[in-house]
Amino acid sequence: MVRPEQPDIAMKQAPARANVGYKPRMADTIPPLYEDLLFPAAPEDRPYVFTNMVMTLDGKTVSGSREEAVMDLGSPADHAAMRQIQAAADAVMIGAGTLRATKGIWFPTHLVRVVVTRSGQVPLGSRFFTDVPEKAIIAGGEARALERQPKSLPHGVMHFPSVDGELDLRGLLRFLRVERGVARLLVEGGSELNGELFGLGVVDELFLTLAPRVKLGRTTPTYAGGEPLPRGHLQNFELISECRVGDELFLRYRRKS
């Protein structure tokens, strides 16, 4: 079922199918799930924050181990949806583990990109930094840890340091909003980073691709880790769009006020 906020997939594809001898291409079989995304206005002190993850039927967000990339968990439709969501953001934030695991990681050049790290151990040769160094931010870690790495910090990359070993995530969000003009922030995990942001109560929306697979594992990462919320303080979200593509479900939720 596609709700009114979603494009009319059948109508968009009908003209092409009407052509004699038409053969569907991969681009034609992937619906524009999240084209022209609209979001409420951002608060003055932080960006409007939305997360995006693909998850198995049993709630896991990896197909292998924590140290491995997860690009094989979702379908081409999921990958296309991810790019559409990225196009609607001003900045993207990921954890250092996600960056280390995804060797060929790439983001559109318009995005400010933030990697959150405790140790400061990040692959400085990654395209995350080298594509547009002036838009890259390392949040957390000690300056000494960065200096000890084999590669030097690319010119233009900013370091938002920890204070007494702890990263001020609220302060980071304020910096992005006030100093960098970021109104829409996309967070792409991992699980612990998502959990910290949910724990702070700053996640406004979440996008979820439900993949038709089962992973299992007592310690396998889920959509969000972190400290559990008390029973009386569960966060409530409302479903604002849903779409089925093959055996995958694409869901968009917005937090209830």
Side-chain angles (χ1 to χ4, degrees):
M1 171 180 167
V2 179
R3 299 204 173 187
E5 289 196 21
Q6 298 293 358
D8 188 328
I9 296 167
M11 290 299 291
K12 283 181 176 289
Q13 295 182 353
R17 293 195 181 107
N19 294 332
V20 177
Y22 169 73
K23 293 182 179 180
R25 302 168 300 169
M26 178 62 74
D28 296 324
T29 62
I30 299 176
L33 294 163
Y34 297 123
E35 279 189 339
D36 304 319
L37 280 174
L38 297 176
F39 297 98
E44 293 184 359
D45 63 340
R46 66 169 177 85
Y48 190 84
V49 178
F50 45 102
T51 58
N52 179 41
M53 300 283 279
V54 58
M55 186 176 76
T56 62
L57 296 176
D58 58 326
K60 313 306 183 185
T61 56
V62 297
S63 53
S65 68
R66 286 179 179 269
E67 293 74 31
E68 296 176 296
V70 295
M71 292 303 290
D72 62 333
L73 192 55
S75 70
D78 173 63
H79 299 167
M82 176 182 68
R83 293 304 182 196
Q84 291 164 1
I85 295 170
Q86 289 172 351
D90 300 317
V92 63
M93 179 183 291
I94 61 174
T98 299
L99 179 58
R100 289 190 295 265
T102 314
K103 306 302 182 186
I105 200 166
W106 170 88
F107 290 106
T109 55
H110 78 278
L111 289 174
V112 173
R113 61 278 319 271
V114 185
V115 58
V116 175
T117 176
R118 285 187 173 84
S119 67
Q121 295 300 310
V122 291
L124 296 177
S126 167
R127 291 186 61 180
F128 186 91
F129 302 110
T130 60
D131 278 359
V132 275
E134 67 278 9
K135 292 185 178 181
I137 300 172
I138 299 173
E142 301 296 333
R144 294 176 184 174
L146 296 174
E147 293 168 358
R148 287 196 297 266
Q149 296 202 69
K151 289 184 178 289
S152 59
L153 193 68
H155 179 71
V157 175
M158 181 194 166
H159 182 212
F160 187 96
S162 300
V163 177
D164 296 327
E166 294 294 328
L167 175 64
D168 179 7
L169 268 176
R170 287 191 185 276
L172 175 61
L173 294 177
R174 180 176 179 81
F175 169 80
L176 291 174
R177 182 75 181 102
V178 176
E179 302 297 332
R180 289 295 183 97
V182 173
R184 298 175 298 276
L185 173 64
L186 166 62
V187 181
E188 294 189 348
S191 175
E192 291 305 308
L193 175 59
N194 287 353
E196 289 189 54
L197 292 168
F198 277 106
L200 290 176
V202 297
V203 177
D204 302 294
E205 288 192 20
L206 68 86
F207 291 85
L208 167 63
T209 301
L210 191 59
R213 300 182 178 190
V214 170
K215 165 68 175 173
L216 303 183
R218 293 183 178 87
T219 60
T220 307
T222 60
Y223 197 106
E227 295 299 321
L229 297 172
R231 178 179 301 208
H233 293 82
L234 299 186
Q235 297 175 10
N236 296 312
F237 287 75
E238 60 180 336
L239 181 67
I240 63 173
S241 74
E242 58 186 304
C243 181
R244 174 181 172 179
V245 180
D247 292 321
E248 283 181 322
L249 286 178
F250 293 83
L251 307 172
R252 180 185 180 188
Y253 289 87
R254 182 172 292 161
R255 186 169 179 182
K256 288 185 176 181
S257 56

